[in-house]
């Protein structure tokens, strides 16, 4: 996922750049992913949908709801 994030990073907001450091899948029955960033409040819903679509492209999560969380590192 880090190559995908480097290819299309989150857009800058108010002149501040969001850097996503790493991500992990949470051990839950449904797929939940957490991404750790320096300023998670600036990651908007369209970028979360982009991450979800890339996860679905790379791995077979068709027909399964995916939750994505952005937390501060």
């Amino acid at each position: 996922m880090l190559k995908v994030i480097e290819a299309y990073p989150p857009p800058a907001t108010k002149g501040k750049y969001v850097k996503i450091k790493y991500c992990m899948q949470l051990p839950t029955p449904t797929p939940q992913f957490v991404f750790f960033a320096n300023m998670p409040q600036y990651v908007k819903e369209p970028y979360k949908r982009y991450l979800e679509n890339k996860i679905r492209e790379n791995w077979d999560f068709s027909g399964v709801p995916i939750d994505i969380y952005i937390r501060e590192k």
Side-chain angles (χ1 to χ4, degrees):
M1 283 304 297
L2 293 179
K3 290 181 182 180
V4 171
I5 294 168
E6 289 173 358
Y8 183 67
T13 305
K14 298 181 182 178
K16 300 185 189 257
Y17 292 96
V18 178
K19 294 180 184 174
I20 296 178
K21 302 294 183 183
Y22 62 97
C23 63
M24 63 183 281
Q25 184 176 1
L26 298 176
T28 58
T30 59
Q32 295 180 352
F33 295 89
V34 61
F35 291 83
F36 291 92
N38 58 345
M39 293 179 281
Q41 67 271 20
Y42 293 129
V43 178
K44 302 297 180 198
E45 193 62 34
Y47 194 75
K48 288 182 183 180
R49 281 196 309 266
Y50 167 76
L51 292 174
E52 179 180 346
N53 291 336
K54 288 299 178 181
I55 289 171
R56 289 185 190 279
E57 282 179 17
N58 292 329
W59 297 280
D60 186 28
F61 284 111
S62 60
V64 178
I66 295 177
D67 292 329
I68 293 185
Y69 303 104
I70 309 291
R71 299 219 175 113
E72 189 168 2
K73 180 179 179 317

